[in-house]
Amino acid sequence: MSHQSDLIATDIDAYLKQHEHKEMLRFLTCGSVDDGKSTLIGKLLYETKMIYEDQLAAIQRDSATHGTTGGEFDPALLTDGLKAEREQGITIDVAYRYFSTAKRKFIIADCPGHEQYTRNMATGASCCDLAIILIDARHGVMTQTKRHSFIVSLLGIKHVLVAVNKMDLVGYSEEVYEKIKADYREFATRLELVDQHFIPISALKGDNLIEHSEKMPWYEGSTLMHHLENVHIASDRNLIDFRLPVQYVNRPNLDFRGFCGTIASGRIKKGEVVMALPSRKTSRIKSIVTFDGELDEAFTPQSVTVTLTDEIDVSRGDMLVRPDNVPQTADAFESTIVWMTEEPLTPGKQYWFKQGTKTAAGSISNLRYRIDVNTLHREETPVLALNEIGRCLVRLNQPIAFDDYRRNKGTGAFIVIDRVTNVTVGAGMILNRAAAGKDDHWSAEADANLQSERSEVTAAERAGRFEQQPATILLTGLAGAGKTTLAYALERKLFDAGRAVCVLDGQNMRRGISRDLGFTVADRSENLRRSAEAAKLLNDAGLICVAAFLAPEESVRLKAAEVVGRERFLVVHLDAPVDVCRARDQEGLYSKADSGEIANFPGVSAPYETPKKPDLVLDTAKLPVDECVKQVLDLLAARKIAVS
């Protein structure tokens, strides 16, 4: 008997271990009313034998009184559990069901189809990997089909399976299926639905659910279950941008201080350097602790407790990130908001905004427009009513760290909470754009109330005092080309010759004036813009400015020249091959870029545009620093900026 018990225990352990490491797929069913969403889920559970016998018996009993199949077994009753749902034969709230097959585990969200329950559908879709959009073959693409497709696109769900249901009621017609497929594709061209698949099914009869239907021999694609088991979702997770919102500071004793939270994106290893936001203090990961013990590496979506080697101030609501990959930090941002309560959204009213573990007070300062989800047209509106979706500008009373929602759902989503009732009244998705709608500060006009003041010291007087003409020399090239080394060597030579000179280094700028910027294309552009403004001030004071910046975009370099003044802006291109730059890389930047730890890295994951008309090209792979300095000095002499 004992031996038999041991065998049973071993079998159970093996079974549990097998299921523990299966990949999880979260998906939802949505579409118009009576398209068969609940029936589809019930049939899947029934066909995969995931219904207990007593539950099956109860459903068979209830089918006679509440069913919609003429007294026959109604699988929809498995998910429509509310009394009102069974009485009306509709889905009102989101119902979640769980099942597994030999390949995967599944969590299904059965979302309501009625327009007044759009907010419930948006809630169910917020954490799903895939959406099954059902279309009744008799009615085709309906208004609510478009509404739900738009919300699926809005919420960034990458995989969409369009299931044309009730094919049995149209005689399994291929023409009907192809017409619906064409109509949906025409509408979806305006949406960001990158992965679309179409399957003709009959949820009630089981056609093309588990096995191919003999009644639709013209369809040669996969069955619905085969698609669910094999759709590739592993690459959907953001494993590049490490973000750990701190939920709780664990201090059980004097010897342990850990920061608990769920990794929103990215991965982290012991010994790596992290930065705490908003303080921007840095430390190293000392340990990564979980319920099952310590780990050498953790990744999204694991819940972990990390300890740091240094005692820096980190509290609930703060975020741990990598110093070379930081999110945007601001107290205002553009967003798309789904409104979820009867009382309309009113611009200017104070709400609580909760993003991850951070809660801040603020308001919607500008309701730019409402989106008609049926036509996708923009409409001006003073308020946002229940279930409506609008583009809004949010202003908070303190800055928060965030990413664009499409890049990072964990740090790009937020909810709006009523400050009086504490009820969630809205859900939003952050658009990583400048708060005032000025993504490009290069062309932004100065405030009309600001006056331009002039110094009583003329440019000619400064030139006479310093015996030089002011200029900015931009040293541009790949990381590792030698920009900083050359900049400081040139500064030394010019200073020793009695010149008034200083260096603006890209890394140093990021430690101060530009420390709120990351490494996106827009952030690199903004870093150079700020630096160009600083260089202009230095030139106006009569100094020669040596600027060492990667500056990978030609258009941005031209904008910098306009800010400084084209007549006193020189471009020196350090033309070192990327393999030489890699060999010089002592900080491991290129290897981190190769592994995805650093995003948008010019020369690896982003382009570097060679200057079209540089004033000087230096092959720093072959030329020694002294020779490079000499050639720059010769250029300055030729332009009569600093004559020896």
Side-chain angles (χ1 to χ4, degrees):
M1 187 69 179
S2 175
H3 178 65
Q4 186 177 3
S5 299
D6 291 341
L7 287 176
I8 293 173
T10 302
D11 290 343
I12 292 175
D13 289 341
Y15 175 81
L16 293 175
K17 192 169 186 62
Q18 174 192 356
H19 282 265
E20 180 183 357
H21 297 290
K22 284 182 184 175
E23 187 177 44
M24 172 78 75
L25 175 71
R26 294 176 173 86
F27 70 92
L28 77 152
T29 57
C30 55
S32 191
V33 180
D34 292 331
D35 279 348
K37 298 178 292 297
S38 299
T39 301
L40 171 63
I41 293 175
K43 195 68 174 180
L44 284 177
L45 295 173
Y46 178 78
E47 294 290 348
T48 53
K49 299 180 172 50
M50 298 301 294
I51 309 173
Y52 294 112
E53 290 184 4
D54 58 340
Q55 188 182 15
L56 183 60
I59 296 298
Q60 289 172 334
R61 276 197 317 272
D62 291 341
S63 295
T65 54
H66 298 296
T68 58
T69 57
E72 296 181 10
F73 174 70
D74 186 358
L77 297 180
L78 280 164
T79 55
D80 290 341
L82 298 176
K83 182 180 179 182
E85 292 179 321
R86 294 192 172 196
E87 287 175 350
Q88 299 179 54
I90 64 171
T91 300
I92 295 175
D93 201 1
V94 181
Y96 294 94
R97 289 295 179 268
Y98 311 86
F99 74 100
S100 66
T101 64
K103 290 187 175 182
R104 266 185 178 153
K105 294 182 288 188
F106 300 91
I107 299 179
I108 319 171
D110 180 20
C111 294
H114 281 68
E115 180 176 343
Q116 63 263 41
Y117 303 122
T118 298
R119 64 190 185 279
N120 298 30
M121 181 266 167
T123 303
S126 60
C127 59
C128 288
D129 307 301
L130 177 145
I132 299 179
I133 298 177
L134 275 91
I135 298 177
D136 190 325
R138 299 169 300 170
H139 304 139
V141 177
M142 305 286 288
T143 297
Q144 196 68 342
T145 309
K146 297 178 180 179
R147 176 185 297 270
H148 284 182
S149 297
F150 172 70
I151 295 175
V152 165
S153 171
L154 187 69
L155 292 172
I157 297 177
K158 293 182 171 62
H159 309 284
V160 173
L161 174 57
V162 181
V164 182
N165 192 22
K166 303 186 181 181
M167 290 296 296
D168 54 310
L169 300 182
V170 294
Y172 299 101
S173 169
E174 181 180 5
E175 290 75 20
V176 170
Y177 168 72
E178 291 295 339
K179 174 68 166 57
I180 292 173
K181 185 176 176 181
D183 290 346
Y184 185 88
R185 276 184 167 164
E186 181 181 359
F187 164 76
T189 54
R190 293 175 287 172
L191 303 177
E192 293 187 35
L193 301 176
V194 294
D195 180 29
Q196 299 177 34
H197 290 269
F198 296 82
I199 300 179
I201 65 169
S202 171
L204 187 62
K205 303 294 184 182
D207 293 298
N208 283 338
L209 295 189
I210 310 298
E211 302 289 341
H212 279 94
S213 172
E214 296 179 356
K215 298 169 183 175
M216 288 180 278
W218 45 266
Y219 174 70
E220 298 179 349
S222 65
T223 62
L224 188 138
M225 181 54 72
H226 180 271
H227 184 79
L228 293 178
E229 285 186 323
N230 293 280
V231 61
H232 181 69
I233 61 170
S235 60
D236 294 348
R237 289 178 181 170
N238 183 340
L239 294 173
I240 296 174
D241 307 313
F242 173 67
R243 308 283 188 263
L244 176 59
V246 177
Q247 183 176 358
Y248 174 68
V249 180
N250 188 6
R251 191 71 187 271
N253 55 59
L254 294 175
D255 300 322
F256 187 91
R257 184 166 179 258
F259 307 104
C260 312
T262 300
I263 300 177
S265 64
R267 53 192 174 191
I268 195 69
K269 297 179 182 178
K270 286 173 62 175
E272 286 193 298
V273 178
V274 292
M275 174 187 287
L277 298 177
S279 70
R280 304 189 72 85
K281 300 293 185 183
T282 59
S283 183
R284 289 187 180 273
I285 298 291
K286 182 179 179 181
S287 63
I288 304 172
V289 184
T290 68
F291 179 79
D292 297 319
E294 289 196 19
L295 303 175
D296 290 328
E297 181 180 13
F299 51 86
T300 182
Q302 288 180 299
S303 296
V304 298
T305 298
V306 300
T307 63
L308 305 178
T309 56
D310 305 288
E311 290 291 336
I312 63 173
D313 182 21
V314 181
S315 306
R316 173 180 167 83
D318 291 354
M319 187 184 296
L320 297 179
V321 301
R322 284 197 179 88
D324 54 5
N325 184 344
V326 298
Q328 177 88 357
T329 301
D331 59 1
F333 49 82
E334 292 284 353
S335 66
T336 303
I337 292 180
V338 181
W339 200 244
M340 297 181 168
T341 188
E342 296 285 352
E343 182 181 348
L345 179 156
T346 306
K349 180 180 178 179
Q350 289 289 306
Y351 298 97
W352 290 113
F353 293 84
K354 188 174 188 298
Q355 176 238 14
T357 60
K358 184 82 170 180
T359 301
S363 65
I364 287 88
S365 66
N366 189 354
L367 176 53
R368 301 199 186 283
Y369 53 80
R370 179 178 72 88
I371 303 171
D372 185 333
V373 296
N374 305 321
T375 63
L376 303 185
H377 291 161
R378 301 174 178 181
E379 302 172 348
E380 292 188 6
T381 179
V383 297
L384 212 57
L386 172 66
N387 293 321
E388 291 187 336
I389 300 170
R391 169 78 176 273
C392 308
L393 171 62
V394 176
R395 290 194 181 277
L396 307 179
N397 64 356
Q398 59 180 291
I400 64 170
F402 59 85
D403 294 290
D404 184 271
Y405 177 81
R406 292 196 175 276
R407 181 173 180 86
N408 198 332
K409 291 184 180 182
T411 54
F414 63 91
I415 59 173
V416 188
I417 303 170
D418 188 284
R419 298 183 67 170
V420 177
T421 64
N422 211 35
V423 170
T424 299
V425 294
M429 290 132 281
I430 296 173
L431 307 172
N432 190 3
R433 295 166 185 166
K438 299 174 182 176
D439 296 355
D440 186 358
H441 290 276
W442 294 96
S443 57
E445 294 292 334
D447 192 323
N449 296 317
L450 299 177
Q451 296 181 1
S452 178
E453 303 292 348
R454 289 184 176 274
S455 171
E456 293 187 6
V457 181
T458 67
E461 288 176 312
R462 296 181 192 276
R465 170 68 59 87
F466 298 129
E467 296 182 350
Q468 64 186 32
Q469 293 297 325
T472 293
I473 304 105
L474 174 64
L475 306 179
T476 175
L478 292 172
K483 300 181 294 295
T484 299
T485 301
L486 177 57
Y488 285 111
L490 182 60
E491 181 191 41
R492 181 79 258 175
K493 200 73 173 178
L494 286 168
F495 184 82
D496 290 343
R499 306 304 178 191
V501 60
C502 70
V503 169
L504 281 184
D505 182 73
Q507 296 276 18
N508 289 341
M509 291 293 293
R510 287 186 174 277
R511 293 176 180 272
I513 293 175
S514 297
R515 64 184 177 188
D516 61 317
L517 299 178
F519 291 87
T520 64
V521 172
D523 284 349
R524 288 187 185 277
S525 175
E526 174 61 11
N527 184 39
L528 191 60
R529 186 194 70 82
R530 296 178 187 181
S531 303
E533 293 286 358
K536 180 179 182 297
L537 292 175
L538 292 170
N539 288 168
D540 289 345
L543 278 66
I544 295 173
C545 176
V546 183
F549 289 84
L550 205 152
E553 289 189 278
E554 174 72 1
S555 61
V556 176
R557 292 191 292 262
L558 293 175
K559 290 177 181 178
E562 291 292 340
V563 170
V564 174
R566 285 188 176 273
E567 72 286 351
R568 60 185 191 186
F569 189 84
L570 306 179
V571 176
V572 178
H573 179 215
L574 277 57
D575 188 20
V578 68
D579 56 337
V580 173
C581 295
R582 282 179 176 274
R584 293 174 175 174
D585 181 20
Q586 297 180 351
E587 300 176 15
L589 298 178
Y590 281 94
S591 59
K592 288 181 180 179
D594 291 335
S595 65
E597 292 182 35
I598 301 178
N600 303 310
F601 193 78
V604 178
S605 52
Y608 174 84
E609 298 176 4
T610 303
K612 292 182 178 179
K613 295 181 179 179
D615 296 277
L616 179 64
V617 177
L618 297 172
D619 186 351
T620 53
K622 299 177 181 178
L623 296 175
V625 175
D626 289 346
E627 177 58 27
C628 292
V629 169
K630 180 182 179 303
Q631 291 197 29
V632 176
L633 292 176
D634 290 344
L635 173 66
L636 298 181
R639 300 293 174 89
K640 298 182 179 180
I641 293 170
V643 181
S644 302

